[in-house]
Every structure is written in C-alpha cells, then in structure tokens.
Amino acid sequence: MNVSSSFYEVVSSVSESLYYKALKVIPTDVVRKIKEAYEVEEEELGKKVLSTILRNIEVATKRNILVCQDTGTPVYLVEVGDIDISLVKLRKSVKDGVRNATLKYHLRPNMVHPISRVNTGDNTGQNSPVIHIELNEALEDKVKIVAIPKGSGSENMSSLAMLRPADGIAGVKKFVLETVANAGGKGCPPYIVGVGIGGDFESVTYLAKKAIIRPLGSRSKDLEASKLERELFEAVNMLGVGPMGLGGRFTALGVNVEVAETHISSLPVAVNIQCWRGERAEAEIESNGEVHYLE
Amino acid sequence: MEIHTPLKDEVVSTLELGDQVYFSGKIYIMRDATLRRIFEEGVSPPVDLRNQVIFFGAPSFAKEMDRYVILSVGVTTSQRMEKYIPSLLSKYGVKGIIGKGELGEKMNSHFQRNNAAYFLFVGGAAAIATSSIERVLNVWWEDLRGEALFEVEVKDLGPAFVAIDNDGENLPLNVKNKVLANLRALQGDQSES
C-alpha cells in the first residue's frame, strides 16, 4: 500500500512526542518491578532509595516534568511492515522529530562532536539520532516506532567481549557479573541488564540494546536464553550493589537475553546497562496515518 | 534530618554514614565546565563558597523576561570532578558536596581534614530535585549554558545520604568492597559448575 506525503509528517510528530513521553513517563512494567522491589527489599538504605525513586516518578507525573535531567542519546528502533514507503524520508522524519522535540520542550542538548566536543544544540548531527530500521512483515501495513533516549550514566557502564567458544556459558556469566559489579552504583541501579549473545562484533551490541527494551517479566522465546535469564537474574542480585550502590538485594530489576547464531569459532557477548528509569516509548502508525500509542 | 545552609562545622560533626538529610537554603550548582574554568583557567569563583554546599549538576533552564526558571536538574557522577574536590574543600572552604556515585579512597582524608561531608543524591531523581528549587538567585558564566554556576534557594532538597563523613568513612566504597568479595565467591561457584 502506498502512503501519502502527510504520512511522513505524522512520523515526524510521533517521533517528537515519543522522545518527550519517554522522558516523562516510566513504562508500566518498570514501575511495577520497582514497586515489587520496594516491597521485598530488606536493606534499610536500599528501601529508602527505592521509595525515593517511586516518589520521584509520582512527582514527575503530577507536575508533568522530566523524571531525570538526562535527555539521553536519542535512539530509535523503527520497524516497517509490508508497506510501500521511502526509507530515506522515514529516517529524515525521525530526525526532524528529535530536533523539534529538543527545541519545543527545551530538552537538554547532549550531542557533541566526538573529537571537538562541540554541541550541535538540537540533539541531531552526523549519524545522529541513532536510527535502526528493521523489516517486520507481522506489522502488515503499519510502522512501529520505539524511542529510547538512552541516559549516559548507564550506557557508559556497558561492555562488549569477544569470548572464545571454550569459555562457554560460564564465561558468559562471568563477563555479565563483572560488568554489573564494575558498574556498581554509577549507572543508577537497580538496572535492567540487557545481554546479547552471538552474532558478530556489531550485531551483538544491538541485541543487547534490544534486550533492554523488552518488557520486564517477559521471557526470551529461545529456551536456552530464557533459562539463562533466570540464572543471571539470581546471580546479579547476589552481588549486593543494591539501589544506587548503597547495598541491598536489588541490583537488577530484570535480566533480558537476546541471541543470534554465531560463527563456530566466535562467542561475542555484549551487556547493555539500563538505569531504573527504563526509558522507552512506542507507537504504531497505520498506512492511513492513524496513530496508536503503546507504551 | 534537616540541614540549613551554610553548613556549620558543628552540624558536620554530628553526621553519620547513611544519615538521610534534606537541605534548605542557598546551594550552588556546578559541574565539569564550571570547575575547569575555576581550576584550569584560573578564574576565581564570583561568589564566596566558604561553608557552602555544592550540587554537581547541569540544569536545563529557560529565561522568562529576566528571570531564570530551572526546568530540570539532577545529580551527575561525582567521580569526574574528583581532581577538583581537594581544592574546593581546602582553598574555597566548601563544607558539603552533593553528587552521585562513589568517590575514591584518597578523597576520604580530604573530607576528614576539612571537616566536610559528601552526600549521595538518588541518580535520576530530577523531578524531586527540580521541585525543591524555590528560586534562582544568581547565574554566573552563562556562556557555559547548563554548566554555568547557579546560586539557587532550595527547600527540603532530598533525601540525600551521608556517603563520606568527617571521620573519612566512605559508605559507597564499603559496599563496593563487599560487592567484589561477592563477585569472587560467585565466580568460584561458576568455575566449579
């Protein structure tokens, strides 16, 4: 099906709203997990931190302000169904949305040139925002957009390892635990730990990022990965980092694992650390321009 | 407990690790670029920081007429500012620093020697930090945008937790050492299985 030119304006305005929404509204599955953690946490300081986090979420909603001051690196996952569309225009529309949101809502501009450190002023630039476009026939005539304005505190704590197949699953677990222990309180725990296993050098990090946006409480469709999610969640929460690194039972709200087949001599593992905010906002746009906001 | 700024020596002496505190009064917001201007470019701060409390952050703000409104402010990682902390305490007489994350062991003696304290604010809790700002009193070095030096009046800014006290005890480091021991134990389990 063909789309009209107004479709791209819709993509732009949806990308704009999703950016702002992801900074103000915490996904329901994440809030639910923080509440559960608050109920169960036994360490006094850990419990106080979790109650502060819950109060902060309430204040943000009540006053209609940002949950956290970090407006993130704008990252978008755009899934395209069976629809006749210009991907070039689609990408441009997402970028326009980021620029418009930044200027309209006075969002902190974070994007700087990596060498000169000069700020572009509108959160866009060379290869920025980060836009992943995927084809998904299950969407039929729709386009799905997920905005992930990723905070730097947690992103900076993420890590990649090209392990040897001989390191096996024990090596994978060791690397995940070391990454989370090293992150300590710096990336704003309790974390959502996204683990990518397999693929190659660059696809494994993308798997890890996709893992952090999968709702908490969901299980990987891959049975081996699903088993590993449970084991890693238990092990990570035995580290004792606790909420904001002040000690406690909840170092992670969840661990999600995504896998891809890999080379016989490779074992890539990536860990993407996500802070308690778990920022993400999603919408689907039908080919006639009708918009459905999801999370 | 409630802390009124400027922070008095006798109040610092009563603080214990993990104490939950709320600040009211004037505080100063600054971070990387502000501190580079003071310490790398050698520009003296335009205000006396003696006995004052610093909050490491960079607000997003709007200017309405000639009035500043802070739209969002939260804590940033203190470790990046570590090299400036000894001078902030000893040369400029700062009594309290509010930030995020651990400070290294070598910072302990500086807080001890200068009878000062480090407070941890919950990272990401910008909504409550922003709501506690009553008004912006002064902004200096506006060319640094969000990293300008802000003097603001706050009411019940908190909770913050005492993370380094004037005995030089360091709470996040104590936790970190336990985490490393736990990691070693867990890895022992892994290699056996």
Side-chain angles (χ1 to χ4, degrees), chain A residues 193-215:
Chain A
V193 181
V195 181
I197 309 173
D200 68 346
F201 178 73
E202 94 279 1
S203 65
V204 74
T205 54
Y206 179 47
L207 287 174
K209 182 133 291 162
K210 286 219 285 198
I212 63 156
I213 61 173
R214 178 146 58 76

Side-chain angles (χ1 to χ4, degrees), chain A residues 37 180 189-193 232-233 236-237 242 249-255:
Chain A
V180 176
Y191 299 125
I192 298 164
V193 181
L232 281 173
F233 180 64
V236 162
N237 280 341
R249 184 162 157 183
F250 285 92
T251 299
L253 296 170
V255 179

